[in-house]
Amino acid sequence: MTKETSLGAEWASRFETLLGDQVGTAKGRPDPADSVPSSGGGRTDEAIPVGDEPVELLTPEEMGEADRWTIAGGTEGSLLMERAGEAVAAAAAAMTSPGSRIAVLAGPGNNGGDGFVAARLLKAAGFDPTVFLVGDLSGLKGDAAFMARQWSDPVVRASRDFHRGADLIIDALFGAGLDRPVEGEAAEAILGANESGVPILAVDLPSGVDGRSGAILGHAIAARETVTFFRRKPGHLLLPGRTLAGAVTLADIGIDPSVLKEIAPAAFHNNPKLWLDEFPRPRSDGHKYHRGHALVVSGPLTATGAARLAARGALRAGAGLVTVASPADAIMVNASNLTAVMLVRLYGAEGLAEILADRRKNAVVLGPALGVGDETAAMVGAALGSEAAVVIDADGITSFADSPDALFAPIRARAAPVVLTPHDGEFARLFADFAELASKLDRARHAAERSGAIVVLKGPDTVVAAPDGRAAIADNAPPWLATAGAGDVLAGIVGGLLAQSMPAFSAAAAGVWLHGDAAAQFGPGLISEDLPEALPRVLSGLFDPARNLALSL
């Protein structure tokens, strides 16, 4: 989660960011003396408030583009590094107190340069930093070498016990762009840092975490907090990177957001700012028929609960009408447990096609507890042959494990949207060749492209991916959401939003976020039946004018 506080409150105000028109050295580089903490004035580095937090996620390559566009626009690279180091120093100052001993673990690239800046500023502010370098000073290049030359104290060779006596470790070893396993001296330093029990502040991303996937490359730092710059990376949200990063502070270092037009990022943090403008709002002059009619297909007599959970989720998500299509043997069980949700008798795939011939039923959810086999596959085929938006979950997915193309072909051929909602096991059955990809983001994107559907790859870091490459990563699911039936409710929520004609990618992303927020608001002890009943509170907050204003700024 991104921190809601500023970068160290009083200390942030003492780490003055260099302005573009300040006097630099003869080579045009910023004069380090200009950034020694002052008593006030000037631009301060602060965390971006949650309501204003950008939704774009940048891969390490895209972040490199942002740096290059900014430098091409006239901002010195060393100035960006100075500002990054200031943000790190401010965060470090907030984690400890003046006089504290700080071990700065610096690497051979720009992350190491950020570490040298932070060490210099912290020393000037009354802290006791020591820089421990992995590699040789002679190996530093460009801005990192320049910043190392401004550090007047000795630079110590890093070792496994470099942290001895430290009150705080700053991990400035590797950044988000690491693309190879950590080995040798760097691995020893990481192992030592993690064994030390000393709080760790990571620069950009914990060293050893892949910024693209969140995966561990050999060994990785387990940080208490992380400071990153301009935009977060997928690795801040995807597991295990999200856990290893701890609390993440997003710092503004002066990169103009206009560079995003050139970069055109396609990955996003899944929060209301991403989809709020497309979220359906009841009209004061509207009625239930304006809000769509969702159909949920029930399983047999002994497996009816999943459909009712999905139906309740669709109704709470705002669908004007919801009907459960029940096989004959389950009619009485369903009838005795439904009130606002309506009921219709279902006679197999042909019967489903007849029900969906009524175009007013504009969204259908099927798969939960429906049973795996040809009958379920036939009902999925009937749904795909209709004009309704379709959500396929659970058994509806697994029924095509032996013939995925029989599912994908009709999906790609239809105009109305389809949303697939697999967990990892179901995903592996349908997309076996993608299941071993290191990046969950890549897995979901490849699956969406192949199938033609919106793919919701569920988990604590659920990824929603569209065939056009757009993807949203969620980080708001609490651990108690892992309970039987929760996925059925999610399928229903998405179906309810589709019934209200919300665009499919946004409906899936919004459904995932609402699902997670409902669980978080309910708290421990949650069971799946609680999720629909928690939605009104979540929706009330979503429609609150003050919150909407904050999210739209």
Side-chain angles (χ1 to χ4, degrees):
M1 299 292 289
T2 301
K3 291 179 67 179
E4 299 186 28
T5 55
S6 65
L7 282 171
E10 70 172 289
W11 283 103
S13 68
R14 295 180 61 182
F15 288 92
E16 181 181 37
T17 299
L18 293 174
L19 300 177
D21 58 358
Q22 285 185 308
V23 177
T25 63
K27 293 184 179 180
R29 296 185 181 272
D31 184 347
D34 289 340
S35 61
V36 171
S38 63
S39 58
R43 180 177 177 271
T44 62
D45 284 301
E46 293 187 352
I48 298 170
V50 167
D52 295 335
E53 180 187 317
V55 295
E56 301 91 356
L57 301 174
L58 299 185
T59 65
E61 293 78 12
E62 289 170 337
M63 187 63 206
E65 285 187 56
D67 286 340
R68 287 190 291 275
W69 278 103
T70 301
I71 293 168
T75 301
E76 289 278 352
S78 54
L79 179 55
L80 295 177
M81 186 172 287
E82 186 77 16
R83 289 171 174 169
E86 289 168 0
V88 173
M95 293 177 68
T96 186
S97 56
S100 297
R101 289 171 291 184
I102 299 176
V104 180
L105 179 62
N110 284 343
N111 246 42
D114 297 341
F116 276 104
V117 173
R120 169 168 44 82
L121 295 174
L122 287 164
K123 180 182 178 183
F127 295 85
D128 183 14
T130 301
V131 177
F132 296 88
L133 183 65
V134 171
D136 299 318
L137 272 173
S138 60
L140 295 174
K141 306 295 182 185
D143 295 325
F146 172 76
M147 294 304 180
R149 290 195 295 271
Q150 315 313 310
W151 175 246
S152 57
D153 285 8
V155 175
V156 182
R157 186 86 179 191
S159 62
R160 188 160 183 155
D161 63 352
F162 76 93
H163 52 78
R164 288 190 182 278
D167 301 299
L168 177 70
I169 294 170
I170 295 178
D171 163 32
L173 185 52
F174 301 119
L178 182 70
D179 59 2
R180 62 190 184 282
V182 177
E183 300 173 338
E185 187 180 0
E188 287 295 305
I190 288 174
L191 290 169
N194 288 341
E195 293 164 354
S196 71
V198 177
I200 303 174
L201 171 66
V203 178
D204 194 21
L205 196 70
S207 293
V209 172
D210 186 338
R212 306 159 193 80
S213 69
I216 295 174
L217 298 173
H219 303 276
I221 286 286
R224 179 174 295 182
E225 297 188 20
T226 295
V227 177
T228 195
F229 316 110
F230 182 55
R231 294 295 186 271
R232 287 191 289 178
K233 320 305 178 292
H236 289 117
L237 298 182
L238 294 168
L239 295 179
R242 187 174 85 209
T243 301
L244 294 170
V248 177
T249 294
L250 182 61
D252 176 8
I253 59 172
I255 298 176
D256 194 317
S258 65
V259 302
L260 294 172
K261 295 178 182 178
E262 304 295 337
I263 297 169
F268 305 92
H269 177 207
N270 188 358
N271 68 39
K273 191 172 181 181
L274 177 63
W275 38 259
L276 189 62
D277 287 346
E278 296 180 308
F279 198 86
R281 291 169 172 79
R283 291 163 36 188
S284 58
D285 63 343
H287 51 73
K288 60 188 176 184
Y289 297 107
H290 286 150
R291 293 165 63 187
H293 191 159
L295 183 75
V296 181
V297 180
S298 172
L301 175 64
T302 57
T304 59
R308 291 196 300 276
L309 286 168
R312 191 76 173 175
L315 197 64
R316 284 294 192 191
L321 303 97
V322 179
T323 294
V324 168
S326 172
D329 68 337
I331 279 286
M332 293 307 296
V333 173
N334 278 318
S336 63
N337 286 280
L338 296 174
T339 48
V341 174
M342 297 180 289
L343 187 63
V344 64
R345 193 182 302 268
L346 173 66
Y347 296 99
E350 290 184 7
L352 181 58
E354 291 176 5
I355 294 169
L356 290 173
D358 179 355
R359 295 181 181 179
R360 292 175 298 181
K361 295 179 176 65
N362 62 335
V364 57
V365 178
L366 73 169
L370 204 53
V372 175
D374 292 343
E375 186 175 347
T376 292
M379 282 198 279
V380 171
L384 294 175
S386 75
E387 296 182 14
V390 181
V391 180
I392 306 172
D393 185 35
D395 294 344
I397 294 171
T398 302
S399 291
F400 290 89
D402 294 332
S403 55
D405 286 340
L407 175 62
F408 303 155
I411 290 175
R412 291 192 296 262
R414 74 196 313 262
V418 177
V419 179
L420 301 176
T421 58
H423 56 55
D424 283 337
E426 292 158 350
F427 183 92
R429 295 174 199 132
L430 203 59
F431 303 100
D433 52 336
F434 297 152
E436 299 305 317
L437 293 176
S439 169
K440 187 172 186 175
L441 182 59
D442 288 345
R443 295 199 296 274
R445 278 176 162 161
H446 285 310
E449 181 181 18
R450 174 179 292 177
S451 66
I454 304 296
V455 172
V456 178
L457 183 49
K458 296 183 291 191
D461 52 353
T462 295
V463 176
V464 177
D468 63 8
R470 286 176 297 158
I473 306 172
D475 67 343
N476 70 330
W480 46 87
L481 187 53
T483 185
D488 305 326
V489 178
L490 173 60
I493 293 171
V494 174
L497 295 174
L498 289 171
Q500 297 170 81
S501 300
M502 189 174 187
F505 176 77
S506 295
V512 168
W513 186 89
L514 292 170
H515 190 242
D517 206 51
Q521 291 207 22
F522 186 91
L526 173 90
I527 59 175
S528 56
E529 288 94 327
D530 299 321
L531 287 165
E533 310 321 307
L535 280 176
R537 183 177 177 185
V538 176
L539 292 168
S540 293
L542 199 62
F543 289 134
D544 177 73
R547 181 174 184 179
N548 284 349
L549 177 61
L551 288 168
S552 64
L553 289 175

